[in-house]
Amino acid sequence: SQQGEEDPQALSIQEGENATMNCSYKTSINNLQWYRQNSGRGLVHLILIRSNEREKHSGRLRVTLDTSKKSSSLLITASRAADTASYFCATAFYQKVTFGTGTKLQVIP
Amino acid sequence: DTEVTQTPKHLVMGMTNKKSLKCEQHMGHRAMYWYKQKAKKPPELMFVYSYEKLSINESVPSRFSPECPNSSLLNLHLHALQPEDSALYLCASSQDEGPLYEQYFGPGTRLTVT
């Protein structure tokens, strides 16, 4: 299975702290994406990093990708209570997107 | 308009019922997707439509029947479902099929099969 494994499964931090989530996958990819999901509703796309990129930034988000280790990390800096959600990595290989197991982030005000 | 809409938001159906889920987007996207998500699990791809043609069926049971009447609409017809089919059904769209395009998700339909 191409499904990614995310670590940790759950993370609880204080507002203002940084949150780091890791994703490992098993097969070749064209890109890796990160999504956020609030309370079991629709997913929101956060950032896409291509397989030939190593790092990407978007606002308070920083994503790294190491294709040799088949791993990626998502860093959220200066977290806010509104960042409380589940975060999924998703690996894309041609037209197929496969979601990882997710990290549940709780940011305590 | 960057919104994907899904109706209904909630659906309860018996195992002998026939119902349909509807998804709509007006972003001019040419690829549309159905995902199934069980509680505390990641979304799992069911179907991909590209330019109104079915391009991927992830070995989904025939009691789920997708339909793409036009480039803005995607339906999922449900018939003779089982209680284990209860889940959140998510629709998504992207500009085109392929790995370079982000997917925009709708809010989902929460389906309960009794």
Side-chain angles (χ1 to χ4, degrees):
Chain A
S1 167
Q2 191 177 317
Q3 184 180 73
E5 295 286 331
E6 292 184 57
D7 170 59
Q9 289 186 356
L11 179 61
S12 184
I13 59 174
Q14 296 288 327
E15 199 167 29
E17 294 180 338
N18 296 342
T20 300
M21 292 161 249
N22 302 296
C23 170
S24 60
Y25 57 93
K26 297 176 183 175
T27 61
S28 298
I29 63 170
N30 297 122
N31 70 49
L32 188 143
Q33 304 172 40
W34 286 88
Y35 287 83
R36 184 185 74 225
Q37 185 175 37
N38 292 86
S39 303
R41 300 306 286 178
L43 286 86
V44 174
H45 182 268
L46 296 176
I47 197 164
L48 181 155
I49 185 166
R50 300 183 184 186
S51 59
N52 61 354
E53 296 177 311
R54 292 295 167 257
E55 187 171 314
K56 202 161 183 181
H57 297 254
S58 177
R60 293 183 297 115
L61 307 179
R62 172 178 169 255
V63 168
T64 62
L65 179 64
D66 187 335
T67 52
S68 66
K69 294 181 179 178
K70 291 186 166 56
S71 68
S72 174
S73 68
L74 170 68
L75 168 68
I76 304 174
T77 60
S79 64
R80 305 167 182 168
D83 295 328
T84 294
S86 291
Y87 291 81
F88 294 94
C89 68
T91 53
F93 189 64
Y94 293 96
Q95 66 270 58
K96 283 190 61 174
V97 174
T98 306
F99 285 82
T101 51
T103 292
K104 193 165 186 177
L105 173 65
Q106 182 185 25
V107 181
I108 302 167
Chain B
D1 184 1
T2 58
E3 191 178 3
V4 176
T5 59
Q6 289 187 246
T7 54
K9 289 184 179 172
H10 301 273
L11 178 61
V12 179
M13 60 185 290
M15 290 189 284
T16 58
N17 291 159
K18 283 186 182 181
K19 296 286 184 183
S20 296
L21 309 185
K22 181 178 173 181
C23 173
E24 194 165 3
Q25 57 88 14
H26 295 287
M27 295 178 277
H29 288 176
R30 305 317 301 256
M32 296 185 77
Y33 310 78
W34 280 115
Y35 288 86
K36 173 183 177 179
Q37 186 178 24
K38 301 282 280 184
K40 299 184 180 180
K41 296 289 186 182
E44 293 179 354
L45 183 66
M46 299 174 71
F47 303 104
V48 179
Y49 271 82
S50 178
Y51 291 83
E52 301 166 43
K53 289 191 177 0
L54 183 65
S55 66
I56 292 180
N57 176 343
E58 288 287 274
S59 303
V60 179
S62 60
R63 56 186 185 269
F64 295 91
S65 175
E67 179 198 17
C68 190
N70 61 56
S71 60
S72 300
L73 277 175
L74 186 65
N75 298 322
L76 186 62
H77 303 297
L78 314 172
H79 174 54
L81 295 193
Q82 304 296 311
E84 59 264 30
D85 296 321
S86 298
L88 181 68
Y89 288 83
L90 295 162
C91 173
S93 70
S94 62
Q95 184 178 334
D96 206 331
E97 191 180 16
L100 299 180
Y101 303 99
E102 65 184 84
Q103 294 185 21
Y104 291 79
F105 281 81
T109 293
R110 192 164 297 281
L111 173 67
T112 303
V113 181
T114 61

